[in-house]
Amino acid sequence: MPLPLSDPSLLRRQCLIDGDWRDAQGGATFPVDNPASGETLARVADGGALEAGAAIAAARAALPGWRALTARERARLLRRWYELVLANQEDLARLMTLEQGKPLTEARGEIAYGAAYIDWFAEEARRVYGDIIPTTAPDRRLLVTRQPVGVVAAITPWNFPMAMLARKLAPALAVGCTVVAKPAAETPLSALALAELAQRAGMPPGVLNLVVGTDASAIGGVLTASRDVAKLSFTGSTAVGRQLLAACANTVKRVSMELGGNAPLLVFDDADLDLAVDGAMAAKFRNAGQTCICANRILVQRGIHDHFVARLRERIAALRVGDGLAEGTLIGPLINQRAVAKVADLVGDALAGGARLLESGTAPGGPGFFHAPTLLTGVSPGMRIFREEIFGPVAAITPFSDEAQALALANDTDAGLAAYFYTADLGRIWRVSEGLDYGMVGVNETAISSEVIPFGGMKASGMGREGSRHGVDDYLEIKHICLGIGPSPDN
Ligand code: ADP
């Protein structure tokens, strides 16, 4: 069945290597399925170690020419790419909903959000300034420049298949690096369409290469072992991140890791209830709960607990679950059956441990990987659902008594990506903001991410920052140049 795209040529099915769309060795392919129906949307080249090696060679060969361009020349190309992405927003959003499942309005939002990184870094790369340091000796001048690290490998997940990729490609390419990217096998079509638009914008051969395939460890093995790859930027699970960090040790690669979160959302007694409920709904249920900054633990002070829970329950009961392309859908399917089973397992463990099931909305029957939006109360720190990323539409509520206990509970995790809290007390806003061991803190607000802010985590949530003026740093090396100018002719 043809996909409902106004430009069908955005549907690419092959690896992009050295400017050519290539089949995998032996013509191997794999299916990309629609999680709302289980139907196969397309078969895509199943690239592996061989394609990864060819892509690295192409990126290596393209590096000298690309980094020799002026930042302005690269910025012009990125700006054309950005405009093409926006011009094709509707098709890109449909493709994303089809392969990933999120509601179409969210998919449109992700295209705009991802595109904004391309625009932003096209501009930021023109401001990669160096320093001149006051000299320590009259016959020397001390300079600092910042140079592209070289060939970058980017490995991205399926939950934001366009934005997670754009967030790495844009700064890397803008500062003069070349890239080999490996998107998740669940959602390669969004990544391939993004690369197709880069080609149309005039990306020179080899500057951006994309290897799609199901054997992630074979592709990852080649990328991490290669001495030609200077840097790995990864977004995904903490478990895979740990493996990749270890694999990068041999060649001492630069690494950026955006790993799992376990975001707390604290609601204090003095919070604005409407604001807190709105914030909790947005932070919990975006992308059916499949984001690394989703409110994984909702901690509510005892005085406001019952009011908050009652309001949240009404809102959850009203959520419409279904195919992301259908009008009015607020919660789409999860990515696959394994994800549904894992969420059900976490809910089962919590109930067995004494949590209460307050609301269990309805999920469509029939095909598709749906989980009903669910509200649990009485969740305690010993339960798996408190410690693991839920990655599903389950709101898990834990009561707390005072600020000290709230902070202790919030920080009782290895993760440190995002945290949120609701309060009207100015002193508490400062104390809690400073006390949370998280890279990003939302105060009376959960819409925290955009291209202008540094996205990233502390502790086991990883290292490096994406977006903001700091986002270029992950793709630059600092070089000191000590310039000997000889003695003064007057001496
Ligand atoms: P998720 O749980 O979100 O699927 P993963 O960490 O499994 O998170 O996947 C994120 C990305 O990492 C995907 O592109 C996936 O294919 C890739 N990946 C998974 N395992 C490996 C591995 N051993 N080496 C390299 N990449 C991997």
Side-chain angles (χ1 to χ4, degrees):
M1 190 188 69
L3 300 183
L5 303 178
S6 56
D7 177 359
S9 62
L10 283 174
L11 180 66
R12 285 285 177 183
R13 300 178 175 85
Q14 294 160 296
C15 297
L16 177 63
I17 298 172
D18 206 12
D20 292 331
W21 294 99
R22 295 193 198 165
D23 286 330
Q25 185 190 25
T29 62
F30 69 97
V32 181
D33 296 337
N34 180 346
S37 65
E39 285 166 22
T40 295
L41 298 164
R43 293 196 70 89
V44 170
D46 199 357
L50 195 95
E51 287 72 25
I56 294 170
R60 179 79 197 79
L63 183 63
W66 182 245
R67 75 178 162 203
L69 294 180
T70 63
R72 191 182 196 194
E73 287 167 326
R74 288 192 299 268
R76 284 207 179 117
L77 199 157
L78 262 71
R79 180 78 200 182
R80 277 200 297 278
W81 186 22
Y82 161 75
E83 279 160 5
L84 283 171
V85 170
L86 286 191
N88 289 279
Q89 182 177 12
E90 196 59 26
D91 272 353
L92 295 172
R94 281 185 170 273
L95 207 50
M96 187 185 302
T97 294
L98 284 166
E99 68 173 348
Q100 198 277 337
K102 69 183 60 181
L104 192 55
T105 45
E106 287 191 31
R108 288 186 187 119
E110 182 181 337
I111 300 302
Y113 169 70
Y117 285 90
I118 303 176
D119 187 37
W120 172 264
F121 283 112
E123 295 173 355
E124 277 307 290
R126 298 180 64 189
R127 301 181 235 296
V128 174
Y129 301 120
D131 301 316
I132 297 180
I133 300 172
T135 191
T136 53
D139 61 349
R140 274 175 240 157
R141 296 295 180 268
L142 309 178
L143 319 177
V144 176
T145 62
R146 296 197 289 160
Q147 297 187 172
V149 292
V151 174
V152 169
I155 300 181
T156 53
W158 49 261
N159 60 344
F160 289 91
M162 186 275 186
M164 295 303 98
L165 193 57
R167 221 149 79 162
K168 299 184 190 307
L169 299 183
L173 295 171
V175 302
C177 299
T178 56
V179 181
V180 177
K182 192 211 88 64
E186 291 86 347
T187 54
L189 303 179
S190 297
L192 291 167
L194 186 64
E196 161 67 17
L197 293 173
Q199 295 301 100
R200 291 185 196 176
M203 201 67 79
V207 170
L208 170 59
N209 306 275
L210 214 65
V211 179
V212 288
T214 51
D215 194 347
S217 64
I219 299 169
V222 172
L223 295 177
T224 50
S226 171
R227 294 178 60 224
D228 286 332
V229 173
K231 153 112 201 174
L232 171 68
S233 179
F234 172 73
T235 298
S237 63
T238 307
V240 172
R242 279 200 187 95
Q243 287 175 30
L244 291 172
L245 270 172
C248 285
N250 270 341
T251 49
V252 196
K253 282 193 206 322
R254 279 85 192 103
V255 286
S256 295
M257 294 271 149
E258 206 262 86
L259 307 178
N262 182 358
L265 184 147
L266 316 179
V267 184
F268 288 93
D269 281 348
D270 61 5
D272 178 321
L273 190 59
D274 291 332
L275 211 58
V277 171
D278 284 349
M281 289 299 294
K284 177 67 250 181
F285 292 105
R286 183 175 298 120
N287 202 9
Q290 302 171 111
T291 91
C292 49
I293 60 168
C294 266
N296 210 55
R297 299 171 294 151
I298 302 178
L299 309 173
V300 189
Q301 199 164 10
R302 293 189 192 280
I304 200 172
H305 180 274
D306 293 353
H307 303 289
F308 178 84
V309 166
R311 293 281 294 280
L312 202 64
R313 182 178 187 172
E314 279 170 27
R315 294 281 296 274
I316 291 175
L319 287 174
R320 185 154 348 142
V321 186
D323 186 328
L325 286 184
E327 195 68 36
T329 294
L330 290 170
I331 304 279
L334 300 190
I335 191 69
N336 52 33
Q337 190 51 43
R338 217 163 5 99
V340 177
K342 189 206 147 189
V343 175
D345 202 32
L346 288 179
V347 171
D349 176 78
L351 294 176
R356 278 184 65 204
L357 180 68
L358 267 204
E359 183 62 50
S360 169
T362 42
F369 311 125
F370 295 97
H371 191 288
T374 301
L375 176 60
L376 296 177
T377 56
V379 168
S380 59
M383 297 173 187
R384 280 179 54 206
I385 204 160
F386 191 91
R387 317 215 75 86
E388 297 178 27
E389 271 192 301
I390 303 171
F391 251 59
V394 180
I397 313 278
T398 304
F400 70 84
S401 301
D402 55 25
E403 191 178 304
Q405 191 195 11
L407 266 179
L409 283 169
N411 287 334
D412 180 18
T413 169
D414 289 338
L417 192 54
Y420 314 94
F421 66 97
Y422 283 80
T423 181
D425 181 316
L426 187 57
R428 175 175 285 151
I429 286 177
W430 278 102
R431 288 190 301 273
V432 176
S433 296
E434 290 168 359
L436 286 166
D437 298 331
Y438 289 83
M440 296 172 286
V441 176
V443 185
N444 297 325
E445 180 58 78
T446 56
I448 57 171
S449 184
S450 79
E451 76 281 8
V452 308
I453 66 101
F455 192 106
M458 297 180 179
K459 295 161 65 179
S461 289
M463 61 207 66
R465 293 293 181 271
E466 297 189 312
S468 83
R469 71 189 167 88
H470 303 290
V472 290
D473 295 344
D474 283 18
Y475 300 95
L476 293 167
E477 287 281 18
I478 292 178
K479 179 183 281 181
H480 162 51
I481 299 171
C482 178
L483 187 65
I485 60 169
S488 158
D490 300 336
N491 289 340

